[in-house]
Structures are given as C-alpha cells and as structure tokens.
Amino acid sequence: MLTSSELIDLVKDYDPNANEDLLRKAYLFSMETHGVQSRTSGAPYFQHPLEVARILTELKFDTQTIAAGLLHDVLEDTNVSFEELEEIFGARIAFLVEGVTKLSKINCSLFDVRQVKNFQKFILTILQDIRVLIVKLVDRLHNMRTLGHIPSKEKRNSIARETLEIYAPLAGRIGMNIIKDEMEDLAFSNLHPEEHSNIFSKLNRIHMENNNFVQSTILELKRIFKEAGVNADISGREKRAWSIWRKMQKSDISFERINDVMAFRIIVDTKQQCYISLGLIHTNFQIIPGRFKDYISVPKLNGYRSLHTTVVGLIGQGIEIQIRTKEMHREANEGIAAHWSYKSNEIIPQKDESGKYKWIRNLIAIHDNSETLQDVMNYSKLEMFNDEVFCFTPNGDLIALPRGATIIDFAYGIHTSVGSTCIGAKINSEIVPLQTVLRNGDLVEIITSPHSHPDGAWEKFVVTGKAKLYIRKFIRTQEKKEFSALGLQLVKYVFSSTDVQFSEDLLDLKKFSCDSVDKFYYNVGKGIIFLRGIQTIIPRPRNSGAVVYKSSVCLEEFIPGIAVHFSECCRPILGDKIIGVLVPQKGIVVHVVNCDSIEKNYSSVVKMKWRKEEEIDSEFVVKLNIVVLNLTESFERVTNIISSNEAKIINIKMENRSTDFFDLIMDIQVKGISHLESIQASLRYCSNVKSVRKL
Ligand code: MN
C-alpha cells in the first residue's frame, strides 16, 4: 500500500508547495477511522480511499481535493461526524466530503421523471463545488475497477448500468474522457460479458494479424513527417471495444463490416502544424469523403479539440487519424482537470477562454430562474444530454446548440432579447419558418422587431432549456396581464348594468381577500372571483334580480357570465375554433380563430371554447354557395336534402346562371359545425351538385 510519504511525493511532483501536513493528517485520519474495515475483496477498506486519492494525483488536483479523496467515505462508513471533520480539516474539505456522501446517497436515474427531487439534489450538490463531482467520479471509477469482487450479479449490473447512464456521461460532459472511456469499457464488460469478450478477442486477432500493418503504417507516417520537417509523435491503436459495439448497435452491422477499427494519433507542437499534418496526410493517402471533422476551429461542447480524418490505408482498409497538439491531447483526456489550478481553490476554473465550462454556468442560470422542480429537471437534462449542432451568426460567431434546436433556440442562444423579439429568420440567405431545425454549419440571420414578443406556440418546438424557460416566463406574465385586463373589463361591465358609477373605491378588496386592485382584477379575470359576487358589493342595483348571462360559448377556465356577441365578419358556428376579442363598452366579440379582421392585439384577446352541444339551444345561420347543374330538378333536390337534414332554409338566391350550371346562394339555420358538415356531405353526394362551399 502507498505510504503517506509516497502519496505526498506524488503531489509534490507537480505542486512543490503542497500542504504536506494536511495530506499526512488526512491519510492517518482516514486509515485510523476506517480501522479494521475491509472491502468485499478482503483488502483493508483504507486501500479504496487511498487509491481514489492516488488517481486524483494523476490528474494533478489540489491538496483539498486529494484530502477529500482520502476522507470521502468517513462520514458514511465510520462514526466521524461532519462537525468533527470541519474542526480538524476546515469547512471546505468537510463540505467536499459531505457532498460526495450526499451524491452517493442519491440513487437517481436521470431518465426517470419520478426522480425529480433526487436529480435536483444531485445538480445542486455539483453546482456548489464541481470538485464534489470529480471526487465522486474517481470514487466510482475505482469501484468499477474492483467491481468483480461484488458477489451479487444483480448489484454489479445495477452499479454498471448507473455508471453507464449517469457517471460516464457526466465525466464526458466535463471533458474527462479518459475516465469516461474506462468507465464505459468496464460497465460494458460487466453488462455484456459475451459480446465484450467476443469483440475483445477479435480485436486481439486483428492486433496479431495487423501488427505489421500498424507498424508499417506508423513507419510510413514517420517517414512522411520527417521528410516534411514536422516534429510529430505518432501512435497507432485499435479502437475501444465499447465504441465498436456501440457502432455495431447503432448501424446494425457486424464486426467484420466495421472497416475502421484501427486508429492513429498524431500529436504535434502547434495548431498550425495540425493543419500542415492534415495536408501531409491528404496528399499521401486517399481520403474517404464525408469523414473529415475539424473540432479545432469548432470544438465540441465539452471543449474537445482535434482534427479527425479517415483515409485509405496501406492495405486498402479505412484508417482513422486524429491530429492534435499536446495541450489538446491533455484536455481531451482530462477535460476540466487539465485547466485545474492546484494553487487556487476555484470552484470553476477561471481560465475558460473557449467557454467550455459554460454548461456549468448555464446549469446555474437555469437553476436560478426555474420555478419548479420539474423545470430544473427538464431543462438540466436537456442541457446535459443532447448532442450538439453548430451554427453561425452573420458576424461569424459560433452558436453551439443541442441537436434538434430551431431558429428560436438560436435566437435565444445569441441573447435573451434577440430571442424574445425574433419575428423571422434566414438560413443561408433563404427565409425559413421559425420552427426550422438547424443543421451543422448553417449561417443564421435573425430578424427582430423591437415591439415583438415571444409566442406561446414556440414552446412546442424549442429544445434548449434557456428558450423554454424564457418563453414560459413570458407566457406567465402575459397571462397575468391578460387576466387583469379582462377582470377590469368584467368589473366595469357589471357596474354598467346598474345605476352605480364605477369607481375603484367601491371595491371591497378585503371581502375578496385581495391585497391590491391588480390582484382583484386578476382573480376576476381568471374566474376565481365570480361576477355574481361582485354584484353583491354594488349598492342599489337597478333591477332587483341578478343579471342573467346566457350564451352558447364560455371563456376557457372561466365562469359563464359576460356579454358575448358573434362577429358578423366570420360568423362562427358551433364547432369552429374560436377566440374572443374584448371590445370596451360592448363585451366579448367571438371570431373564428383565423379570422382576418382580428388584429393581433394580445392584451384584448381571450381564449374561448364552446359549451357542450346538448347545453346549447341556439342555432346558427350560415351562407352556402352551391353550384348545381342547370336542370329544373336541381333546385328541388337541393332543398329536399336540406330539409330532410332538419335544417331550416332562411333565404335563397340564384346567381351566375349559364348553359350548364347555376349558383344557389342559401342562408340555412344549423345546430353546429357537425350538423353543417353532414348537410354538405349529403349535398356533395347528390349528382346534380357540382360543389358546395361555406361563405
Ligand atoms: Mn468510496
């Protein structure tokens, strides 16, 4: 087992000023408190936290993190209390240890909506200090390495599954691919041992058979690079079993048909040399089109940078080549850890030029703005688990978005105010609808209008947490405004049916448990306070009985009771999609939803729906234009059809009489849209009728 001095030496290798006393104290404290406890393997328990601390030194973490690694299980597995830990090691280390302990207790599946609370706890804990997550990841990595010692297969599988679903993606999210890759392969070999060993042995065979090929490819690459005078570190390897298996699953193909199981890596000194190297490779090997990716100019969301290309190798099969600098290589393996400064105790690394920790900040912003647990869950999940797509503004600024993102997501990605006032957009200079799904490389130009505002319908197609959140927020405030305005109109309306002049002073707010007039109007508008209730506070009503309101429509989520008129322009009938427009001094005028005469004035539009058919005794008059054959029997047949359908004919006109046809313009009275439709259907069935249309 590693001694405390050996551990300290490992830390001092990269941090000569490391706090030795702290490390030694943590080492001894953990060893003593875990005492004679042992792991399922029979090894002393202390070996586990010690190994976690050692792995953390490989990633060059600060002493607080190493200490937390040593102590990460004492709260859970020994009698040590938080207060004790705080007294001996200070508040921050105690916090880290407590955080790791909390994470371990949260048994959450991110894909289970019922686990909202757990997920929120999880995110909250990570957000307070990202190092909690790092210690937890390394803890889980070591547990995965020693998973074979757990006797119960069920337990092994559940740990492996959780690792695959939660911890590996999280490690990937903070760019710690080296941990992610190992976790995935360990989980894979546990969950699918047969497939794993199958692929593994095939890889081995390829390795044996192709060793010459790998070596000669490396030699050839080295020759090319030497000739060009580019200093490069070149290596070759087979791809990982898990990534091959995933590819087999995804494309539903056999191992034999995956033709690029070999990958080569070229590590150079500078970014310029990356592109020079790419040129060298493309001049000397034939490229396989469509496989080239430039993650240097457009890094992945987790900060990954590299050039990827696939070319035809020496013996005719595809080989993948990755080109990157040493710095990029370290970042690709260690992610967040590559930027960690062991000198400071930053919670999120300050050095974030490429914006790769933006997702952590996004998570924090979402958390601050969310109203419900469900929000946090939904939005954070979206932020963390969607694949990404990259698009550009006309200025060349890059906006990275989750796959499936639309124009509106893009607009919100630029700035909240751009999203909120977006009225149109162009993709690659062509005007497109707002719900258009973006593709990689799209150049997106957003058109805004200062007086515009979000549309509730956007909520249905946006995918980013940010866009969803702001649209929802807008809808909520807008709804509040609308209901208040409606409430005010309703109150005035009630007053107008009496002799009493409307005045806010007459409103007895206390009686309705409202602390402000706005609240009162909102409650009236929303239907929480009934109109009949308002009447009771108005002194001396003009007529003794209550005002009776009767109508075939009602406001959505609202009690019946307001003057309703049907518009003359579009003449809605039962079954039409309808909307109400508040007209001062008149009440609500009902229109068909897409009626051209409705001005898009949101503050005066209210949602309306029809009452149930059986509750309605009114009839609606519609005007029909029926084109019929110019035969004497046509008129009789049409009128027969209408009356046999139990509709009343109010008015008839004949127009456009020609040699073959004439038009019948009829006003008929129907019960609703389904009644009308069955009449229209019967008419169309008649051989004398050429067409029927509602005017
Ligand atoms: Mn542990």
Side-chain angles (χ1 to χ4, degrees):
M1 215 178 338
L2 209 62
T3 66
S4 63
S5 314
E6 284 166 342
L7 180 71
I8 289 165
D9 285 345
L10 289 176
V11 180
K12 292 194 94 174
D13 262 355
Y14 59 88
D15 181 9
N17 302 321
N19 185 343
E20 284 184 41
D21 287 347
L22 174 67
L23 290 170
R24 191 170 290 115
K25 209 161 65 172
Y27 183 101
L28 290 173
F29 187 85
S30 175
M31 186 166 69
E32 275 165 24
T33 48
H34 283 297
V36 294
Q37 289 174 349
S38 62
R39 307 200 85 205
T40 40
S41 63
Y45 193 90
F46 176 61
Q47 207 173 57
H48 163 66
L50 179 57
E51 187 56 16
V52 169
R54 195 195 58 74
I55 298 171
L56 287 167
T57 68
E58 281 179 5
L59 297 162
K60 299 189 172 61
F61 269 98
D62 59 282
T63 39
Q64 285 189 339
T65 314
I66 311 281
L70 284 166
L71 298 165
H72 81 267
D73 273 333
V74 299
L75 284 180
E76 192 167 13
D77 295 336
T78 74
N79 293 328
V80 176
S81 71
F82 176 80
E83 289 70 26
E84 214 174 321
L85 213 53
E86 196 176 24
E87 204 184 302
I88 305 172
F89 296 100
R92 186 42 67 165
I93 290 177
F95 172 83
L96 290 174
V97 174
E98 196 196 25
V100 178
T101 312
K102 273 192 205 154
L103 282 196
S104 313
K105 283 187 182 150
I106 298 166
N107 169 25
C108 80
S109 161
L110 298 183
F111 305 99
D112 184 348
V113 196
R114 287 164 296 179
Q115 302 277 12
V116 183
K117 262 200 168 126
N118 282 344
F119 182 72
Q120 193 203 27
K121 277 193 223 156
F122 195 95
I123 293 297
L124 264 177
T125 314
I126 294 173
L127 289 183
Q128 288 173 74
D129 190 331
I130 195 77
R131 292 178 298 176
V132 169
L133 176 63
I134 284 156
V135 177
K136 181 64 208 169
L137 288 173
V138 173
D139 172 39
R140 176 52 64 108
L141 178 66
H142 186 243
N143 286 335
M144 286 301 293
R145 283 182 185 172
T146 53
L147 191 63
H149 293 299
I150 291 175
S152 150
K153 186 182 172 203
E154 208 173 299
K155 188 156 186 219
R156 281 201 309 270
N157 282 352
S158 112
I159 293 173
R161 219 171 299 116
E162 193 186 44
T163 302
L164 217 46
E165 285 178 357
I166 301 170
Y167 293 102
L170 279 172
R173 246 305 170 215
I174 57 174
M176 299 179 87
N177 290 316
I178 204 162
I179 290 183
K180 170 177 168 271
D181 291 351
E182 192 180 342
M183 279 180 171
E184 284 174 350
D185 275 339
L186 289 167
F188 175 42
S189 69
N190 194 283
L191 291 169
H192 307 279
E194 262 169 49
E195 288 90 335
H196 183 264
S197 69
N198 190 351
I199 291 175
F200 202 74
S201 64
K202 280 179 178 162
L203 280 174
N204 260 338
R205 206 174 57 229
I206 288 181
H207 184 76
M208 306 290 275
E209 286 167 3
N210 287 350
N211 197 28
N212 280 338
F213 157 72
V214 175
Q215 288 315 316
S216 52
T217 305
I218 291 176
L219 279 179
E220 175 64 6
L221 285 169
K222 279 189 173 156
R223 190 191 61 75
I224 293 167
F225 276 73
K226 199 174 172 197
E227 216 163 74
V230 178
N231 183 29
D233 185 356
I234 298 165
S235 57
R237 64 190 169 90
E238 291 87 26
K239 286 190 173 170
R240 295 181 306 119
W242 165 254
S243 73
I244 290 175
W245 189 69
R246 270 259 292 258
K247 197 167 188 178
M248 287 164 64
Q249 298 291 308
K250 217 166 152 185
S251 330
D252 199 20
I253 52 177
S254 66
F255 182 88
E256 284 66 28
R257 290 197 44 215
I258 294 183
N259 51 11
D260 55 342
V261 290
M262 300 300 305
F264 293 84
R265 189 169 284 151
I266 295 169
I267 295 174
V268 291
D269 294 326
T270 65
K271 193 163 114 178
Q272 280 74 16
Q273 284 178 347
C274 291
Y275 290 99
I276 293 170
S277 308
L278 182 74
L280 283 174
I281 286 158
H282 285 181
T283 355
N284 286 282
F285 296 91
Q286 193 197 327
I287 77 158
I288 296 177
R291 303 289 301 273
F292 169 65
K293 285 189 186 103
D294 184 349
Y295 293 122
I296 291 180
S297 60
V298 182
K300 287 193 185 181
L301 269 187
N302 66 5
Y304 177 83
R305 289 183 298 163
S306 205
L307 297 176
H308 290 190
T309 188
T310 305
V311 296
V312 181
L314 295 176
I315 51 169
Q317 79 250 61
I319 51 173
E320 189 188 292
I321 298 177
Q322 300 176 347
I323 307 163
R324 51 176 85 146
T325 65
K326 291 189 187 82
E327 191 200 349
M328 292 173 195
H329 185 54
R330 187 168 172 225
E331 282 176 10
N333 283 332
E334 300 173 13
I336 210 169
H339 285 283
W340 208 267
S341 166
Y342 50 80
K343 292 181 204 96
S344 65
N345 293 315
E346 302 156 356
I347 287 169
I348 296 171
Q350 294 302 304
K351 202 177 149 195
D352 188 17
E353 289 130 13
S354 51
K356 63 190 64 157
Y357 304 114
K358 219 169 126 189
W359 70 276
I360 301 177
R361 300 207 172 89
N362 278 346
L363 223 48
I364 296 172
I366 280 169
H367 195 263
D368 288 347
N369 280 301
S370 302
E371 293 194 5
T372 64
L373 290 174
Q374 191 67 46
D375 284 355
V376 179
M377 172 86 171
N378 288 341
Y379 303 146
S380 327
K381 249 169 85 174
L382 288 170
E383 294 297 324
M384 288 170 69
F385 292 102
N386 275 336
D387 273 329
E388 51 252 304
V389 55
F390 299 99
C391 302
F392 299 89
T393 68
N395 300 330
D397 290 333
L398 173 75
I399 307 282
L401 294 162
R403 199 159 287 282
T406 61
I407 299 287
I408 297 297
D409 294 296
F410 183 90
Y412 275 101
I414 298 175
H415 195 271
T416 317
S417 65
V418 177
S420 297
T421 56
C422 176
I423 53 163
K426 289 179 187 172
I427 291 181
N428 309 323
S429 312
E430 229 173 89
I431 292 184
V432 293
L434 294 177
Q435 65 266 40
T436 305
V437 172
L438 300 173
R439 284 175 309 184
N440 262 321
D442 278 346
L443 184 104
V444 187
E445 193 182 334
I446 299 290
I447 304 159
T448 59
S449 161
H451 302 298
S452 185
H453 47 67
D455 185 325
W458 295 354
E459 216 194 342
K460 292 195 182 70
F461 59 75
V462 298
V463 301
T464 53
K466 191 177 175 188
K468 272 198 197 297
L469 185 67
Y470 280 100
I471 294 166
R472 196 89 274 273
K473 218 173 177 178
F474 175 82
I475 294 172
R476 277 181 197 147
T477 36
Q478 197 58 22
E479 269 174 4
K480 266 180 202 161
K481 275 193 211 155
E482 281 177 14
F483 280 120
S484 296
L486 174 61
L488 175 63
Q489 294 292 338
L490 292 175
V491 173
K492 282 185 177 166
Y493 178 79
V494 172
F495 271 86
S496 73
S497 65
T498 70
D499 292 330
V500 184
Q501 187 71 28
F502 169 71
S503 156
E504 279 185 1
D505 301 334
L506 291 173
L507 303 173
D508 185 359
L509 300 182
K510 265 185 225 136
K511 193 177 169 213
F512 297 97
S513 3
C514 294
D515 43 21
S516 69
V517 255
D518 275 340
K519 177 86 188 159
F520 176 74
Y521 293 146
Y522 173 78
N523 283 350
V524 173
K526 184 99 197 204
I528 298 164
I529 295 173
F530 291 82
L531 295 190
R532 282 182 290 279
I534 304 171
Q535 285 183 302
T536 62
I537 60 164
I538 303 174
R540 296 183 291 109
R542 183 166 51 196
N543 42 19
S544 51
V547 185
V548 179
Y549 309 96
K550 180 95 179 140
S551 165
S552 50
V553 287
C554 63
L555 293 162
E556 238 171 68
E557 295 175 86
F558 191 74
I559 52 132
I562 180 164
V564 174
H565 311 265
F566 285 92
S567 82
E568 289 298 317
C569 50
C570 54
R571 292 209 188 170
I573 69 170
L574 176 66
D576 277 328
K577 285 206 165 120
I578 48 170
I579 196 166
V581 176
L582 263 180
V583 180
Q585 319 302 324
K586 187 171 180 191
I588 290 174
V589 179
V590 182
H591 291 261
V592 174
V593 160
N594 52 13
C595 174
D596 293 334
S597 65
I598 305 174
E599 278 178 43
K600 285 267 173 277
N601 185 351
Y602 279 76
S603 65
S604 69
V605 171
V606 290
K607 285 182 192 164
M608 303 205 76
K609 62 178 182 196
W610 295 96
R611 235 172 251 298
K612 287 195 201 93
E613 199 165 345
E614 58 271 20
E615 289 174 28
I616 299 175
D617 47 14
S618 48
E619 301 226 304
F620 304 84
V621 176
V622 290
K623 202 182 267 303
L624 291 181
N625 183 338
I626 307 160
V627 181
V628 293
L629 293 177
N630 190 0
L631 298 172
T632 35
E633 83 237 26
S634 289
F635 181 80
E636 195 187 341
R637 290 187 74 172
V638 167
T639 49
N640 276 343
I641 290 168
I642 291 169
S643 48
S644 65
N645 272 287
E646 291 174 339
K648 212 188 280 169
I649 298 168
I650 310 282
N651 197 5
I652 297 180
K653 254 195 312 190
M654 247 185 267
E655 276 179 10
N656 302 327
R657 193 186 271 266
S658 68
T659 41
D660 305 313
F661 300 102
F662 63 87
D663 291 3
L664 275 175
I665 313 292
M666 304 179 96
D667 289 344
I668 59 171
Q669 206 169 50
V670 295
K671 294 191 189 80
I673 200 147
S674 50
H675 188 201
L676 173 65
E677 271 163 3
S678 75
I679 295 169
Q680 282 176 307
S682 321
L683 284 170
R684 289 197 184 102
Y685 196 70
C686 169
S687 57
N688 288 52
V689 174
K690 185 168 176 285
S691 70
V692 183
R693 128 185 105 87
K694 185 188 165 203
L695 293 175

